[in-house]
Amino acid sequence: MSAYEKVLLARAKDRPTGISYIENIFEDFIELHGDRRFADDPAIVGGIATLHGRPVTVIAMEKGKDMRERVRRNFGAPNPEGYRKALRLMEQAEKFHRPVVCFVDTSGAFCGMGAEERGQGQAIAENLTTMAGLKTPIISVIIGEGGSGGALALALSDRVWILENAVYSVISPEGCASILWKDSKKVKDAAESLRLTAQDMLELGVVEQVIPEEKEFSLTYAKLQEELEAALSQLGQLPVEELLEQRYQRFRKY
């Protein structure tokens, strides 16, 4: 399967979205809203849940499942208030010693005028700075598209995993083709050059694990649930100083 075919799979309309993962992996989810500054951003869903009795904070990018919902959720492209909401929930998790689990699925942060006026770049930068020093375990899972800084804002974590048919890239193949070749027909070449597939990410050391996608997706949820429980148990045993040092070294090596 070519890299661009993987991109199309990652964007498929019938692909499970962030809320599906929350509903099928965690129990007792309570959604929390708003950034306490401007508004609530439906493109990012977050709150408190349990994972086999373990309290966790869950944050997921949400594209929506039909056209009406996709429009309401801005097609999964977060505004600054979405990232600030996520930041608020992560700081709350640190305060109450809850681990954080993030599900990443976005073509990129919203680049509209209003988003820029409200500090889109600063919001992403604040997330990266805070996550680098957050004194609680963080795991991020790329479940569809991992687009540029918009995705990285929820992926500066102790463990970064990716689903088999997801992609992770600094730019979309279309954007790359338009910049490098000035030709949209070069999109397949761009996808290959970007090395954005799950297997590429594993070989480059950007992710620790590729999660297989089963035809019966309930098996994928079950596998991910099992892996999350094991990883959170392992990370939870580390002293805070060691946790932060390992996270720092993980990203410093790039």
Side-chain angles (χ1 to χ4, degrees), residues 235-245:
L235 292 169
Q237 293 174 8
L238 296 176
V240 171
E241 295 77 11
E242 186 176 346
L243 182 76
L244 295 180
E245 179 62 21

Side-chain angles (χ1 to χ4, degrees), residues 117-128:
E117 289 172 344
R118 296 193 300 277
Q120 184 70 286
Q122 183 184 24
I124 292 172
E126 286 177 348
N127 275 35
L128 297 178

Side-chain angles (χ1 to χ4, degrees), residues 155-176:
L156 204 152
S157 308
D158 301 298
R159 300 284 186 273
V160 180
W161 301 340
I162 187 169
L163 264 70
E164 180 182 1
N165 294 318
V167 295
Y168 196 22
S169 176
V170 69
I171 192 171
S172 69
E174 292 83 0
C176 179

Side-chain angles (χ1 to χ4, degrees), residues 54 83 87 89 97 107 110 118 121 148 194 224 249:
R54 180 198 304 271
Y83 292 115
L87 182 65
L89 295 179
H97 309 290
S107 58
F110 187 55
R118 296 193 300 277
S148 193
L194 285 167
L224 191 49
Q249 293 299 337

Side-chain angles (χ1 to χ4, degrees), residues 3-5 7-8 11 107 145 167 169-192 194 196:
Y4 191 63
E5 287 173 330
V7 172
L8 296 179
R11 296 171 176 171
S107 58
E145 286 186 278
V167 295
S169 176
V170 69
I171 192 171
S172 69
E174 292 83 0
C176 179
S178 67
I179 291 171
L180 292 186
W181 288 286
K182 313 295 187 206
D183 184 358
S184 61
K185 294 179 181 178
K186 293 283 189 178
V187 64
K188 293 182 180 179
D189 294 329
E192 294 291 343
L194 285 167
L196 44 62

Side-chain angles (χ1 to χ4, degrees), residues 8-24:
L8 296 179
L9 281 177
R11 296 171 176 171
K13 293 180 180 179
D14 59 349
R15 191 172 180 84
T17 60
I19 288 177
S20 300
Y21 286 83
I22 294 175
E23 292 174 344
N24 286 278

